[in-house]
Amino acid sequence: MPEGESAVDAVDRSGPAVGVPAGDARSLARHTTLRLGGPAAELITAGSADELVERVRAADASGTRLLVLGGGSNLVVSDEGFAGLVVRVATTGLHYERLSEDTVRLTAEAGETWDEVVADSVRRGLGGLECLSGIPGLTGATPVQNVGAYGVEISERLISVDLLDRVTGEVRTAPAAELGLAYRTSVLKHTDSAVVLRVRLRLRADGLSEPVRYGELAEALGVDAGERLPAERVRAAVLALRRSKGMVLDELDHDTWSAGSFFTNPIVEPERLPEVLRVIAERVGEQRIPRYSTPQGGTKLSAAWLIERAGFSKGYTGPGERVGLSTKHTLALTNRGSASTSDLLALAGEVRAGVQESFGVSLAPEPVLVDCLLR
């Protein structure tokens, strides 16, 4: 994926993944974009927010081990599966409300397919979400990891979320400011303390896009950075770029059998940066090193750039050629059709170790790992 982009772990209402053999309906491979993962002890679907709340409360009250599952686009599940109850979120509903001449508020249920939400807003002549087109998954997960792409993050559009607090059992509204939204993270990530039920987003009523900030997108559109264009035009360009990188789901294309970007772009502290840059220069010579300043004072490096220069090219394969880096983008680790989760993690570990050995930079996995570890 492009710098700073991520996939969304959210519900896919189209049903089981194509390409996964028919069998146990509890197989989590049927509900992840990697097509990997063993069975759940029990799997049910919640079709409304009330049902979702009821199911989660009941599981918590009984002490049942619980996994709330979205579309599985940012999820790696162990080959052994999940020894507990899996509740799939399949809630739907969109509501638009004009707040002012310039602003429309969109309320979307957690189970709405994210790209369908973006497409619907663009069809209605609303701007703000177009750069987030084509990201797989559903709406409820977008604030959890503050998804972003092509220079835009959900934090810029988010007003608030309704969530079930699993500690108190209460449903409450949390404004965006309470969520600790930062690069690919929030206070909701890597915790089971809350379940997002719906989100509220602030959209532009003029139908124009966010300012085009990302260089590759500006080049594709033939405009200067900072320009605003009709949202529909920007969405089309984003989708074209994502397809060229194998980042728009295609059941017949193994390059899209992934969890999106497997590693986040590493952020190097100011005191370590000179040494890291020196080591990189020693290995790759005089090359421009992609880097981006962060608001917190660190420097973000391109994980894809580091992976490639550590010797892992597009299409590099792992155990038995059952897994490999996408032939279109080195940040996506893909199931070539007959892989296991252990195969995938072995490749991920090899790539991470190679980057660490080459440059002294540690890569962190972006997907949520369920009952498995990256060693």
Side-chain angles (χ1 to χ4, degrees):
M1 285 187 179
E3 185 275 324
E5 184 172 337
S6 64
V8 185
D9 178 23
V11 176
D12 176 2
R13 286 184 282 124
S14 63
V18 172
V20 176
D24 191 343
R26 298 170 298 135
S27 170
L28 295 178
R30 295 163 60 86
H31 303 293
T32 67
T33 53
L34 273 163
R35 277 78 167 176
L36 297 177
E42 183 181 5
L43 190 151
I44 59 177
T45 298
S48 70
D50 287 345
E51 183 182 5
L52 177 57
V53 169
E54 178 184 352
R55 296 286 193 178
V56 173
R57 281 176 176 165
D60 289 343
S62 65
T64 300
R65 190 164 184 243
L66 176 67
L67 172 66
V68 178
L69 174 67
S73 57
N74 199 43
L75 206 62
V76 179
V77 181
S78 74
D79 293 314
E80 291 71 31
F82 183 76
L85 171 64
V86 174
V87 177
R88 295 184 67 240
V89 184
T91 58
T92 60
L94 299 176
H95 177 70
Y96 295 84
E97 180 183 359
R98 183 174 289 274
L99 299 181
S100 69
E101 181 179 349
D102 302 322
T103 305
V104 171
R105 178 171 62 200
L106 166 59
T107 302
E109 296 299 304
E112 284 286 346
T113 302
W114 173 248
D115 191 55
E116 291 179 7
V117 172
V118 177
D120 190 70
S121 69
V122 171
R123 281 195 299 268
R124 292 171 181 266
L126 302 172
L129 303 180
E130 57 288 324
C131 286
L132 305 180
S133 294
I135 296 176
L138 290 192
T139 303
T142 57
V144 175
Q145 62 183 34
N146 187 22
V147 301
Y150 296 100
V152 174
E153 294 182 336
I154 202 70
S155 58
E156 300 172 55
R157 298 284 102 198
L158 189 66
I159 300 172
S160 64
V161 301
D162 286 350
L163 52 80
L164 168 63
D165 187 324
R166 293 180 62 186
V167 176
T168 66
E170 296 179 351
V171 173
R172 66 183 183 88
T173 298
E178 287 186 11
L179 300 182
L181 297 163
Y183 173 63
R184 297 307 159 265
T185 193
S186 73
V187 298
L188 300 172
K189 191 171 183 179
H190 299 307
T191 176
D192 296 326
S193 62
V195 177
V196 175
L197 304 176
R198 62 186 59 86
V199 306
R200 297 178 186 84
L201 301 164
R202 183 183 301 105
L203 306 183
R204 297 180 180 275
D206 62 8
L208 295 180
S209 69
E210 292 289 271
V212 177
R213 306 172 187 136
Y214 198 78
E216 183 184 30
L217 179 59
E219 182 178 355
L221 289 163
V223 300
D224 294 328
E227 289 192 38
R228 297 179 62 211
L229 302 168
E232 184 178 40
R233 181 180 169 192
V234 174
R235 172 174 164 78
V238 168
L239 288 173
L241 286 171
R242 287 180 58 84
R243 288 192 184 98
S244 73
K245 295 174 169 57
M247 291 297 178
V248 174
L249 293 180
D250 182 342
E251 295 157 352
L252 302 179
D253 181 1
H254 287 163
D255 275 336
T256 73
W257 289 30
S258 76
S261 296
F262 196 89
F263 296 104
T264 58
N265 293 312
I267 297 176
V268 180
E269 301 85 355
E271 59 272 19
R272 290 192 60 235
L273 184 61
E275 175 63 13
V276 168
L277 294 179
R278 183 190 68 78
V279 171
I280 293 174
E282 280 188 358
R283 178 164 180 109
V284 305
E286 294 299 322
Q287 295 186 31
R288 186 185 74 83
I289 302 172
R291 47 179 166 157
Y292 315 87
S293 298
T294 69
Q296 295 75 29
T299 296
K300 185 192 304 180
L301 302 179
S302 166
W305 191 91
L306 293 171
I307 289 169
E308 290 179 6
R309 282 151 187 82
F312 303 97
S313 59
K314 297 172 185 176
Y316 179 90
T317 57
E321 299 187 350
R322 295 182 296 272
V323 291
L325 303 186
S326 166
T327 64
K328 302 179 181 73
H329 202 285
T330 50
L331 262 187
L333 275 62
T334 66
N335 173 2
R336 307 315 294 179
S338 60
S340 66
T341 299
S342 59
D343 291 336
L344 182 84
L345 293 176
L347 176 60
E350 181 185 0
V351 171
R352 185 166 73 167
V355 171
Q356 178 70 47
E357 181 180 351
S358 297
F359 307 118
V361 174
S362 180
L363 298 181
E366 184 168 312
V368 176
L369 307 183
V370 177
D371 290 353
C372 54
L373 296 172
L374 176 58
R375 301 185 186 280

